[in-house]
Amino acid sequence: MTAAAGSRGAGRERLVVIGGDAAGMSAASQARRLRGPDELEIVAFERGHFTSYSACGIPYWVGGHVQERDRLIARTPEQHRARAIDLRMRTEVTEIDVDRQRVRARDVDSGAESWTSYDRLVIATGARPVRPEMPGVDAPGVHGVQTLDDGQALLDTLARTSGRRAVVVGGGYIGVEMAEALINHDHEVTVVDRADEPMSTLDPDMGRLVRTAMEGLGITMAGGTAVTKVLTGDDGRVRAVATEHAEYPADVVVLGIGVRPETSLARAAGLPLGAHGGLLTDRAMRVRGYENIWAGGDCVEVLDLVSGQERHIALGTHANKHGQVIGTNVGGGYATFPGVVGTAVSKVCDLEIARTGLREKDARRVGLRFETVTVESTSRAGYYPGASPMTVKMLAERRTGRLLGVQIVGREGAAKRVDIAAVALTAGMTVEQMTALDLGYAPPFSPVWDPVLVAARKATAKVRASMS
Amino acid sequence: MTAAAGSRGAGRERLVVIGGDAAGMSAASQARRLRGPDELEIVAFERGHFTSYSACGIPYWVGGHVQERDRLIARTPEQHRARAIDLRMRTEVTEIDVDRQRVRARDVDSGAESWTSYDRLVIATGARPVRPEMPGVDAPGVHGVQTLDDGQALLDTLARTSGRRAVVVGGGYIGVEMAEALINHDHEVTVVDRADEPMSTLDPDMGRLVRTAMEGLGITMAGGTAVTKVLTGDDGRVRAVATEHAEYPADVVVLGIGVRPETSLARAAGLPLGAHGGLLTDRAMRVRGYENIWAGGDCVEVLDLVSGQERHIALGTHANKHGQVIGTNVGGGYATFPGVVGTAVSKVCDLEIARTGLREKDARRVGLRFETVTVESTSRAGYYPGASPMTVKMLAERRTGRLLGVQIVGREGAAKRVDIAAVALTAGMTVEQMTALDLGYAPPFSPVWDPVLVAARKATAKVRASMS
């Protein structure tokens, strides 16, 4: 127990949580489950208006699949408070004083500041969207889609621009999901991306399949070109997006370029940050070198179990797991987060996109030599109605045959098939071991050889050939 | 090389394959891929009219999802012959003479018999349906659904009985799939099963969910009762099915009780059979104790990697894998079939049913102590349209926490989720390791905690509690 804890007497400790979204509030809730209010006081600071909401759901709310904003909120401030969590909304932590074990917080509306001491601290400050520095980026009609407030502002704009032209900047998963949302609002959609092919979380050959499918949906794909400025009309609102080569008329612009860890507080406090700007933790999600500070969610780097290196991945599912692990440890239990294999799934209309493990360039970067195969198969037995084509790309290490990564592009039933590879990667399986996997087979669900097994067979043959 | 091979000179060996369906013809095709006709002569015997067809597809053909019988045929006799396989249709092998390395075959139509010697032999005689010994079981209107001929005969009957009453005997996966097919033919359907709950490949508590769902589809479920006889009318056709307690009027009866390994030839030849009547092989699918005889498909027993014991499982996906392994080994390569974990998926209308690993009674039988948990979750984020409820049951070994089995009952997206557990079982993961699995997450595909992870978390807590 720390000195500060002792100073409050009666052995009652105080946990301070910075950030009221998935990681922070999962940690708080789990700690509360394990330790009652008599043992542990929990104070949580959130600078925004909402707690525990699904940022991943925003494209579907904007796109109209989800009717009400509040459906994205897993737990309201009131619900947290009912569980004896002292949640302070619209209160921004402005400093972490590690030496004196306290944080300074500012009431966003009044500007009043005060210090709160802690025995244990959880940093869950999330990520901030990349907002390109360029003329016009702050013009009305240009929207991010990071927060619920962002989503509402975009919906307000879309109510006025239906039937008109939208430009999405960025062809990653936020970009492609927003393209679908904008189609649902009857916009003509253009996606502008710096990379030649969209979904640069895939290899370019798989990204090309996504581009072709998106073009088939009527989306204009402008790849290999960077946005240089946002042009505005006489009314000051956006009227076009300019690249080095062209101008794309736009009544609304959505920025979907990605996010960076929000670690300015941590940096100022001297906490350890990694190459991607995220906090570095141990397996128990403790900030490295600090016995009583934990961090999780979009503000940390995670270990990639396949490459052995740290990465930054902003995903709600990781944030929830981190929170669970942190809360268990803060609550006196024991849990660890071993790392990730880099699984991600998304969709554009009926196109499903999935990846796990390493792309070709990731494997090269960490010095791995590998073989790749790409196979075409179907989601169901070929004779069963609704069988849809599916492309599976697989990377396997040379000589050892260890699975390194899988990418899948297809229709219904494509995305979640990547879980087979995610588990196999976690277990360190070879592609030859995978060929014997006892996967669910019945004609409505799979060909007699599941597409992942077809890829594993072909990869096995290629690995063997590489050894002779 | 054997003496018999030598007697044919020039080093050309002869491979004889008994059985022209999945295992046998996969083995023949793979062997041919690796060794050309100059090196290896391949003779295959098939007593029926068809080769390489999907028996698993028959319910969907009968049910009208698949329009044409021939779509179930992966490869015709002509296609096999074009690959230099000497395929003898309507020719039944009646004896294996292991000492002299030859088989006796009879032309089904002419009755003519002759001996064919082999250097290498593949036994792929499949399975035969259990046909209960009871009065009336051979009456017109009573149908099995094992072969394409069976399927055509049933379709002929159904064309006459539409809008009338059907009884399915057996509530396993064939039974429930046939119930759907009969509904599609506008029959009033009753399923009679000896067990209290259908799908006895699940634990009864999960089977109950299937029963409730099937009753919701308008199917009458008569469980816990054995059929004693088939009653016929004045025209000699079936008119009802009688159990100990009741009579169920029936214009058509489908037998879906299951299958047994077809190993009478192997038994007569003195080859080793297991407790379930299937041939016993080593990992390379060689019949144990015989250097030049392989066996695969529905006529063999397979090692259950979770229980460590042999089982009989008739499934096309295993038969294909066996054939692939046998063909590789016969062709001079090296491959093994390590075993199964017992994965199976099926559906009744929009109800999806899946299982892998051990049921409670399987675990007890092999002396394992375990904890079970059952969780309710959804296929997608709760706020996303089409999110459907899903029940996941998980068994974990006490103390070690090793995953032992998973059963899932739900709607769209339920069945293939079992693959996550199938891979985890193969890798020997604990439920605690599973809680950290990096599975695909996006609102259209999964809640932020995948249902399988929710079950793993709860199972982890229960395993931990059992240790204190």
Side-chain angles (χ1 to χ4, degrees), chain A residues 103-177:
Chain A
V103 300
R104 185 165 60 182
R106 184 171 61 85
D107 183 296
V108 172
D109 300 313
S110 73
E113 294 206 339
S114 64
W115 288 95
T116 303
S117 64
Y118 63 81
D119 300 294
R120 293 160 188 254
L121 177 67
V122 174
I123 303 173
T125 42
R128 64 189 144 74
V130 174
R131 208 168 163 92
E133 294 285 334
M134 60 183 171
V137 72
D138 295 319
V142 181
H143 294 269
V145 283
Q146 171 84 352
T147 65
L148 293 179
D149 288 336
D150 290 343
Q152 188 59 57
L154 175 56
L155 274 169
D156 293 345
T157 293
L158 294 179
R160 286 199 305 269
T161 58
S162 179
R164 298 169 73 178
R165 288 161 304 191
V167 170
V168 178
V169 181
Y173 71 92
I174 300 173
V176 303
E177 288 167 3

Side-chain angles (χ1 to χ4, degrees), chain A residues 257-272:
Chain A
I257 307 180
V259 298
R260 296 273 180 278
E262 175 56 274
T263 47
S264 45
L265 278 179
R267 183 185 301 273
L271 300 179

Side-chain angles (χ1 to χ4, degrees), chain A residues 371-377 391-396 401 431-432 434-435 449-466, chain B residues 324:
Chain A
E371 303 293 336
T372 73
V373 296
T374 303
V375 302
E376 306 286 337
S377 182
T391 305
V392 180
K393 178 171 182 172
M394 187 173 280
L395 276 72
V431 288
E432 182 154 4
M434 289 179 75
T435 62
W449 289 96
D450 190 279
V452 174
L453 297 188
V454 176
R457 277 173 63 184
K458 197 168 167 189
T460 300
K462 208 155 173 189
V463 168
R464 284 184 174 204
S466 77
Chain B
Q324 182 75 14

Side-chain angles (χ1 to χ4, degrees), chain B residues 92-386:
Chain B
E92 182 171 17
V93 172
T94 55
E95 186 181 345
I96 303 170
D97 179 350
V98 169
D99 292 334
R100 300 178 66 180
Q101 298 201 166
R102 59 181 193 165
V103 301
R104 184 166 60 183
R106 184 172 60 85
D107 182 294
V108 172
D109 300 312
S110 72
E113 294 205 339
S114 64
W115 288 95
T116 304
S117 64
Y118 63 82
D119 300 294
R120 293 161 189 254
L121 177 66
V122 173
I123 303 173
T125 42
R128 62 188 145 73
V130 174
R131 208 170 162 94
E133 294 286 335
M134 62 183 172
V137 73
D138 295 320
V142 181
H143 294 271
V145 282
Q146 172 82 352
T147 66
L148 293 179
D149 289 336
D150 291 342
Q152 188 58 59
L154 175 56
L155 275 169
D156 293 344
T157 293
L158 293 179
R160 285 200 305 269
T161 57
S162 179
R164 297 170 73 179
R165 288 161 304 191
V167 170
V168 178
V169 181
Y173 72 92
I174 300 172
V176 304
E177 288 168 2
M178 287 312 303
E180 172 179 341
L182 293 164
I183 285 176
N184 291 351
H185 280 276
D186 295 320
H187 283 65
E188 271 180 48
V189 180
T190 299
V191 176
V192 184
D193 196 32
R194 205 182 282 267
D196 286 336
E197 305 295 350
M199 290 305 291
S200 60
T201 50
L202 307 180
D203 284 322
D205 54 333
M206 296 296 282
R208 193 171 306 131
L209 302 179
V210 176
R211 172 163 57 84
T212 304
M214 290 179 73
E215 286 170 348
L217 292 166
I219 299 168
T220 302
M221 302 299 292
T225 184
V227 173
T228 51
K229 60 185 163 187
V230 173
L231 304 174
T232 51
D234 294 339
D235 59 356
R237 294 187 64 83
V238 61
R239 67 166 178 82
V241 164
T243 69
E244 298 113 331
H245 311 297
E247 252 183 57
Y248 299 93
D251 302 294
V252 56
V253 173
V254 174
L255 302 175
I257 307 180
V259 297
R260 297 271 180 277
E262 175 56 275
T263 48
S264 44
L265 277 180
R267 183 184 300 274
L271 300 180
L273 302 184
H276 308 282
L279 275 155
L280 296 177
T281 74
D282 65 13
R283 296 292 177 102
M285 302 307 296
R286 255 191 195 89
V287 173
R288 290 189 199 165
Y290 292 81
E291 190 58 30
N292 64 339
I293 307 180
W294 285 261
D298 294 358
C299 68
V300 303
E301 298 190 6
V302 289
L303 177 64
D304 183 314
L305 297 168
V306 190
S307 71
Q309 301 191 348
E310 309 289 333
R311 297 177 57 182
H312 178 245
I313 302 176
L315 253 184
T317 188
H318 298 326
N320 273 278
K321 289 195 184 96
H322 295 169
Q324 182 75 14
V325 166
I326 293 170
T328 300
N329 291 322
V330 167
Y334 171 66
T336 59
F337 183 82
V340 303
V341 293
T343 311
V345 296
S346 44
K347 78 177 196 71
V348 198
C349 300
D350 67 345
L351 183 78
E352 298 190 4
I353 306 160
R355 54 145 289 145
T356 190
L358 308 184
R359 294 165 299 182
E360 293 195 26
K361 69 176 177 182
D362 303 320
R364 264 185 223 108
R365 191 182 291 138
V366 293
L368 291 165
R369 296 186 67 182
F370 55 89
E371 304 292 336
T372 74
V373 297
T374 303
V375 303
E376 306 286 336
S377 182
T378 54
S379 57
R380 308 173 181 195
Y383 55 78
Y384 196 88

